[in-house]
Structure formats: structure tokens, C-alpha cells
Amino acid sequence: SKRVALLISGGGSNMVKLVESMQGDHPARAVLVGSNDPEAGGLKKAAAMGVPTFAVDHRPYKGDRAAFEAELQRQLEEAQPDIICLAGFMRVLTEGFVRNWEGRMLNIHPSLLPKYKGLHTHQRALDAGDDVAGCTVHLVTPELDDGPILGQARVPVQAGDTADTLAARVLVQEHKLYPAVLRRFVSGDQTLLTLD
Ligand code: GAR
């Protein structure tokens, strides 16, 4: 079965849903969870699910992304993953690192790409007066939040939404979309999945 490593920076709710999905009948299994933050809450959740974890703290590297990524790469290679899932991983990756995993690294982004690449996606959707928000799973390419789209889920914006209430509604859909896209991707299906 295919080996999946996951990278997180925070609470790791998407990571948990992905790992849980692979614990059932699935063509892949989670072999490693890594973080750039040793304090990331998701690391303990991964360990509790029986998945090995590691952290490479980005801070001592002081902006030397290549050195940070070399250590990230070294840790990942030990687990020999076939696929990398970025799941709330908040470090920008250089072209060199991305090329190591070209066609094999997925990311989830909390907007309907190509809208709102980068940060503060929900506030930007609200500021624009959008009546639909959502999330996207895509293949990672060197350009930020720009790779081929594998899946999207649309989420209605409601009157009175704040960035936080909208984020929470989108996150519910992230938890459905990412496992569904990963299962298809592992099976060789890269056609667009749309959830509503
Ligand atoms: C998710 O909403 C994810 O889409 C977003 O961070 C959150 C992580 O939550 N990712 C990005 O913003 C990537 N730039 P989680 O740690 O609970 O999965």
C-alpha cells in the first residue's frame, strides 16, 4: 500500500481526519507526521493514533530555508513516503524542495482557488462580499497555492459571518474533502472532485 507522510504546523484537525481515513479499508497508510513547530498540538494527536512523529523547528534556521528544508527532507526520506500531504503546514516551501516531491505532494488551502492565495483567506472573502467561500485540495508546485486542482468544496457565507465563523464552517468541509481527494489520488484518479 502507498505510504503517506503528513506535515502540519498547528492543531492538525485535517491530519487527524486523513490518518483516521487511512486506518480503515484504504489503499494507503500514514507512516509519519512532521511539524515545523515542536509544540504543534497535532503531534500528540498523531502519536496517540500510533503514527511516528518528528519536528524540525524552523526558528533556529533564521530564514535559511534551504538548510531547514534539507533537514525536513532527511526526516521525511527515512519513512520513504510515496505521497506527502500538507495539512495546515504554514511554511512556504522552495522550488528545490517542491521538486523533490513533484506530483506527489498535496495541499489543502482554505479558499476556492485561484481566489485568495496566501493568508487571511476568509477575511478577504468577506471583504470582497463573496456569498460563497470554500476550500481546495491541489498538487503542490513551486508557485504558492497554484498547482493543479484536485478537489473543491463550496461553503455558503452567511449574514453576520466573521472570519472565525466562516473558517469553522469551511473546516467542516475540509475534513470531508481532503480524505476523499486523497483516496482518489492514491488510486490514480486526478480528476476534479467537487463537493457542495
Ligand atoms: C486549515 O484551515 C487549512 O486549510 C489551513 O490551515 C488550517 C489548519 O487547520 N491551511 C492554510 O492556511 C495553508 N496556507 P488544522 O491544523 O486543524 O488542519
Side-chain angles (χ1 to χ4, degrees):
S1 78
K2 298 279 187 195
R3 301 170 63 84
V4 177
L6 305 97
L7 293 178
I8 63 171
S9 296
S13 70
N14 277 289
M15 176 278 296
V16 168
K17 294 294 180 183
L18 288 166
V19 170
E20 285 176 350
S21 76
M22 288 183 273
Q23 286 174 337
D25 179 35
H26 201 281
R29 60 205 156 102
V31 296
L32 187 63
V33 171
S35 178
N36 62 295
D37 180 357
E39 304 298 319
L43 289 174
K44 280 182 178 147
K45 297 176 192 167
M49 292 187 291
V51 182
T53 66
F54 73 93
V56 181
D57 190 341
H58 66 278
R59 288 165 295 191
Y61 292 94
K62 305 232 187 222
D64 185 349
R65 287 185 191 273
F68 165 71
E69 290 174 349
E71 180 59 14
L72 194 60
Q73 180 71 12
R74 195 186 70 73
Q75 296 270 355
L76 288 168
E77 278 175 352
E78 282 189 19
Q80 296 189 273
D82 300 297
I83 295 166
I84 309 281
C85 288
L86 305 182
F89 185 69
M90 302 305 282
R91 304 304 297 170
V92 172
L93 296 166
T94 70
E95 168 156 16
F97 183 88
V98 170
R99 295 282 184 219
N100 291 332
W101 303 101
E102 199 161 15
R104 303 187 290 151
M105 185 157 58
L106 311 186
N107 179 46
I108 189 158
H109 183 75
S111 77
L112 292 174
L113 290 173
K115 275 186 154 183
Y116 313 130
K117 297 173 182 181
L119 298 176
H120 310 301
T121 55
H122 303 299
Q123 190 59 54
R124 289 156 69 197
L126 293 173
D127 291 347
D130 294 354
D131 48 27
V132 178
C135 50
T136 301
V137 176
H138 63 96
L139 277 164
V140 177
T141 57
E143 193 77 13
L144 185 70
D145 298 332
D146 192 59
I149 293 174
L150 301 174
Q152 286 189 313
R154 294 160 58 85
V155 175
V157 176
Q158 292 175 5
D161 261 341
T162 63
D164 285 349
T165 60
L166 181 55
R169 194 176 310 115
V170 171
L171 191 62
V172 172
Q173 288 301 90
E174 294 185 44
H175 294 164
K176 294 177 186 161
L177 181 68
Y178 210 171
V181 169
L182 177 62
R183 178 181 287 273
R184 289 157 55 102
F185 183 77
V186 169
S187 309
D189 183 354
Q190 299 190 27
T191 60
L192 179 67
L193 174 66
T194 305
L195 302 182
D196 271 298

